[in-house]
Amino acid sequence: MKLQGQKVGVLIESDFYEDEIFYYKHRFVEEGIELHFLTRLWGQPSLSFLGHEYRAPLTVHETFEGMSDEELRSYAAIIVPSGIVSDRLRYTEDPEKIPPATTFLKRAFAEPGIIKGIICHGMWLVAPAPELVRGRPVTVHNNLISDAKNMGALYTNQDLVIDGDLTTARTGGHCHLLARSIIDQLAAR
């Protein structure tokens, strides 16, 4: 448990890819990492979401909204998972404003000490703030290659790409590579 006390946050919403999320629930904890699922709670004490493949439920009690800078800095990594999570988190009541989840992601990107992990369709959450990946090498699901290029990212045809504090993985099926990379990066600190 060499990473005891480290915190990893995973953004979550409905239609998450269960195999990925369940893998994180076991793999990070194995290393002593505190795993936190973060979402918009819409004023509720908790919300339950259903997975995409098996409709497995996941109840979340923590929100990224209103998180202080100090609390944000307590996270060693923030992961934007695969599946339809990012599309759901891109919802904003005012279409003239950046979605709250993207605003949170921008805050995380402003903290170089936080590893940002984006996997598969997670790159959708970056679309309202393309400056976050402009000029940076990334990988994404094959369906999002044009999206990444349109954001100004440098698409790289690999299953895992590490660029400083940004680690991207191609699909939810590559979650083991993303998790391993984040664990290795944290252990190297």
Side-chain angles (χ1 to χ4, degrees):
M1 301 258 253
K2 59 187 173 189
L3 297 176
Q4 189 77 36
Q6 298 283 334
K7 286 171 54 176
V8 170
V10 178
L11 301 184
I12 201 75
E13 240 289 356
S14 282
D15 285 320
F16 60 90
Y17 178 49
E18 291 100 325
D19 290 346
E20 175 191 8
I21 298 306
F22 296 160
Y23 183 80
Y24 296 155
K25 284 180 79 171
H26 296 285
R27 186 62 188 100
F28 286 120
V29 173
E30 221 171 39
E31 298 292 332
I33 294 170
E34 291 178 33
L35 188 62
H36 297 259
F37 291 102
L38 307 168
T39 193
R40 291 187 77 182
L41 288 177
W42 301 91
Q44 304 299 313
S46 66
L47 287 175
S48 292
F49 301 110
L50 297 177
H52 186 75
E53 304 290 324
Y54 315 112
R55 310 304 289 162
L58 178 68
T59 300
V60 180
H61 304 275
E62 296 180 79
T63 183
F64 52 77
E65 290 188 289
M67 183 182 289
S68 70
D69 290 342
E70 182 180 356
E71 174 72 12
L72 175 59
R73 284 189 214 97
S74 73
Y75 283 89
I78 297 291
I79 296 173
V80 184
S82 67
I84 310 301
V85 169
S86 288
D87 191 42
R88 292 186 179 276
L89 286 174
R90 286 193 305 178
Y91 176 78
T92 179
E93 299 82 42
D94 182 347
E96 299 297 321
K97 293 185 178 177
I98 291 177
T102 302
T103 299
F104 175 75
L105 194 58
K106 285 178 70 169
R107 290 178 58 215
F109 266 84
E111 298 290 342
I114 299 173
I115 297 167
K116 277 65 74 180
I118 302 176
I119 189 165
C120 191
H121 284 74
M123 195 62 73
W124 274 339
L125 193 58
V126 178
E131 68 274 9
L132 299 177
V133 294
R134 188 173 295 126
R136 297 186 79 170
V138 302
T139 191
V140 294
H141 190 281
N142 290 354
N143 291 355
L144 271 71
I145 293 170
S146 295
D147 299 71
K149 289 178 178 179
N150 286 336
M151 285 187 258
L154 306 173
Y155 171 73
T156 306
N157 187 13
Q158 296 176 5
D159 293 335
L160 183 78
V161 174
I162 301 168
D163 180 47
D165 62 348
L166 175 61
T167 300
T168 54
R170 189 186 306 270
T171 71
H174 297 98
C175 64
H176 63 290
L177 298 177
L178 184 78
R180 174 82 266 152
S181 173
I182 290 172
I183 289 166
D184 288 348
Q185 290 175 66
L186 293 178
R189 289 184 175 177

